Amino acid sequence: MSTSRTDGLPVSVVDRISLVLEALSTGPMTLAKVTARTGLPRSSAHRLLEQLANAGWLARSPEQTYELGVKAYEMGQAALNQNRLLHHARPLMHAFAHRAGFTVQLGVVDRGDTVYLAKVNGRTSGSTPTAVGQRVPAHSTALGKVIMAYSAVASQRSQDGTRTDSATAPSARSRFDSEMAQVRDRGAAFDRGEAFPGIACVGVSIGPPDHMYGNLAALSVCAPVSVLEHQKMIAPLRVLAGEIWQRCVATDLSRH
């Protein structure tokens, strides 16, 4: 069954609800803003907003703005709490951030974006602009690059999402392919202020890339560009990734 009309708007209720919830993930919005952001007809958007508010997924203010509600928060927390990888990774990430002094993050690649699932701030890193649940174009982050380097599907999605004109597309694709080869050679990806000016990152994959559960998530350590020594951080970050992997294998993956 088709899920899209000729105008590109989703037909299924699930797709429309997803469109509304994703729009509101950026912050509170009025009906007019939701309509403008999603492209849904005003009547359809209003009906969905009211139904979601009545069910607790959204909260409606007296000023008639909508934002994510208690049920959305509960479901998000449940998803994080049920994630076995995060359960094993968090204590090791805290210990690493304390030793190294740098911020360490765990994330995945979804639809061409890096999505951060966990983050522990380090005392030396200072304030870093990422947050749990945030999406950043994967081709600009060390965490995203290292996953894409070993995943043909994710790599293709990212390349498709890189906006270039016809004159520059071949050279951009060539540069991207060359960088992915370098990532595979060194076993780590670098970000020198590409995602956020002034912030550098080193990323490594969690688990062997050729394992059925490997390379589904990755770690990155980040700090100011002037502080982070990329090459020196590869080995300790790979040790951390290996410890997380071994805990997962020992307790969860081995049972499957």
Side-chain angles (χ1 to χ4, degrees), residues 35-57:
T35 301
R37 178 69 64 87
T38 63
L40 293 172
R42 181 181 177 88
S43 59
S44 298
H46 184 257
R47 181 169 61 253
L48 288 175
L49 288 168
E50 288 298 304
Q51 290 174 345
L52 289 168
N54 291 336
W57 290 100

Side-chain angles (χ1 to χ4, degrees), residues 9-232:
L9 294 177
V11 170
S12 76
V13 174
V14 171
D15 286 341
R16 291 191 171 210
I17 289 174
S18 296
L19 196 61
V20 169
L21 292 177
E22 288 175 6
L24 288 168
S25 67
T26 62
M29 290 185 181
T30 61
L31 170 60
K33 287 186 176 180
V34 171
T35 301
R37 178 69 64 87
T38 63
L40 293 172
R42 181 181 177 88
S43 59
S44 298
H46 184 257
R47 181 169 61 253
L48 288 175
L49 288 168
E50 288 298 304
Q51 290 174 345
L52 289 168
N54 291 336
W57 290 100
L58 300 180
R60 184 194 313 104
S61 75
E63 293 79 21
Q64 292 302 304
T65 61
Y66 298 86
E67 60 186 82
L68 297 179
V70 172
K71 188 166 288 189
Y73 173 81
E74 292 175 340
M75 192 61 68
Q77 286 298 115
L80 292 175
N81 293 335
Q82 292 175 20
N83 189 304
R84 294 189 296 273
L85 174 61
L86 293 182
H87 174 74
H88 298 301
R90 282 191 183 110
L92 294 173
M93 291 172 64
H94 277 279
F96 180 91
H98 179 74
R99 289 194 311 271
F102 296 143
T103 295
V104 60
Q105 305 169 126
L106 184 152
V108 297
V109 169
D110 177 65
R111 291 176 288 173
D113 290 332
T114 293
V115 181
Y116 298 101
L117 303 183
K119 175 182 179 180
V120 180
N121 289 316
R123 63 185 183 280
T124 306
S125 300
S127 177
T128 51
T130 56
V132 172
Q134 183 178 2
R135 284 180 173 269
V136 181
H139 64 268
S140 68
T141 71
L143 195 157
K145 290 178 187 179
V146 76
I147 292 177
M148 291 188 296
Y150 295 108
S151 172
V153 174
S155 178
Q156 183 61 51
R157 284 175 179 168
S158 177
Q159 293 176 43
D160 291 344
T162 304
R163 304 302 182 191
T164 56
D165 57 38
S166 58
T168 60
S171 60
R173 180 66 59 86
S174 177
R175 288 195 301 270
F176 183 86
D177 291 341
S178 175
E179 183 175 13
M180 293 297 96
Q182 293 174 13
V183 171
R184 289 188 290 269
D185 286 343
R186 75 168 76 97
F190 296 160
D191 163 17
R192 296 181 173 91
E194 297 161 54
F196 300 97
I199 301 296
C201 295
V202 177
V204 301
S205 177
I206 297 177
D210 57 350
H211 191 284
M212 66 180 296
Y213 292 112
N215 197 49
L216 298 180
L219 294 169
S220 68
V221 61
C222 63
V225 172
S226 60
V227 174
L228 189 66
E229 297 182 75
H230 289 74
Q231 291 289 348
K232 287 186 177 181

